């Protein structure tokens, strides 16, 4: 299927992610796809299939925060039909800044994807350990 995208123009997509309840702030946006943004695989675009201008820059939080850890609530495990930890893919939505070195990651609300059935959800963690704007390059320098 060909779609218009925010960053890549027209692309052919085969992988579909289904957000049953949309994404917080975008409840009607339920179908997305992942498109690599960088050749090294560090950055990915979560592109809406319905709204060409709606796209989020993602990265695995583990690229920048090795100690990142949380527990998914049972309701999320059931909603995404997660059978094994190996089926879980975790992304953080980035807030890209200028200069890029000031870019932050939302660790409080990771995007969780079941790699087996392509169900996805942005989960809001109920912990005070993580914020919505963690500088991604601060940790890498050390």
């Amino acid at each position: 299927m060909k779609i218009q995208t925010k960053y890549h123009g027209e692309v052919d997509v085969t992988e579909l992610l289904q957000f049953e309840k949309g994404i917080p702030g975008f409840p009607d946006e339920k179908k997305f796809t992942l498109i690599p943004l960088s050749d090294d695989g560090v950055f990915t675009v979560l592109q809406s299939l319905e709204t060409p201008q709606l796209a989020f820059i993602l990265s695995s939080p583990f690229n920048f925060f090795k100690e990142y850890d949380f527990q998914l609530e049972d309701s999320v495990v059931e909603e995404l039909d997660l059978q094994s930890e190996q089926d879980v893919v975790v992304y953080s939505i980035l807030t890209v800044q200028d200069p890029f070195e000031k870019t932050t990651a939302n660790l409080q609300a990771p995007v969780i994807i079941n790699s087996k059935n392509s169900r996805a959800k942005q989960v809001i963690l109920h912990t005070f350990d993580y914020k919505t704007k963690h500088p991604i390059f601060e940790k890498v320098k050390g």
Side-chain angles (χ1 to χ4, degrees):
M1 154 172 67
K2 289 196 181 300
I3 65 164
Q4 281 297 322
T5 67
K6 182 172 182 174
Y7 299 108
H8 296 89
E10 186 175 84
V11 297
D12 204 8
V13 297
T14 53
E15 185 183 358
L16 220 79
L17 295 178
Q18 182 69 36
F19 287 78
E20 291 295 326
K21 297 176 181 167
I23 291 180
F26 303 93
D28 297 330
E29 296 286 342
K30 300 182 186 316
K31 294 181 192 278
F32 287 82
T33 192
L34 295 173
I35 303 170
L37 185 62
S38 58
D39 291 337
D40 59 7
V42 173
F43 302 104
T44 302
V45 177
L46 179 66
Q47 174 67 54
S48 167
L49 296 183
E50 296 153 354
T51 309
Q53 288 305 308
L54 182 61
F56 301 94
I57 305 299
L58 306 180
S59 186
S60 167
F62 307 108
N63 289 329
F64 304 100
F65 305 96
K66 305 286 187 229
E67 72 287 350
Y68 185 57
D69 188 35
F70 59 89
Q71 186 74 34
L72 287 176
E73 293 179 8
D74 291 342
S75 61
V76 174
V77 172
E78 288 174 26
E79 183 180 338
L80 298 180
D81 192 25
L82 292 165
Q83 303 297 318
S84 160
E85 271 188 45
Q86 284 72 35
D87 300 343
V88 177
V89 179
V90 179
Y91 284 105
S92 289
I93 294 178
L94 303 183
T95 301
V96 178
Q97 303 287 339
D98 187 16
F100 189 70
E101 289 74 29
K102 294 186 182 278
T103 295
T104 60
N106 181 346
L107 298 184
Q108 189 177 22
V111 173
I112 309 299
I113 299 169
N114 181 334
S115 63
K116 295 282 191 227
N117 65 17
S118 298
R119 289 186 190 169
K121 179 179 181 77
Q122 186 177 15
V123 177
I124 298 172
L125 302 177
H126 301 290
T127 175
F128 295 108
D129 297 337
Y130 302 115
K131 305 176 295 219
T132 59
K133 292 187 183 272
H134 285 266
I136 63 174
F137 292 107
E138 216 169 73
K139 295 275 184 186
V140 174
K141 289 178 189 167

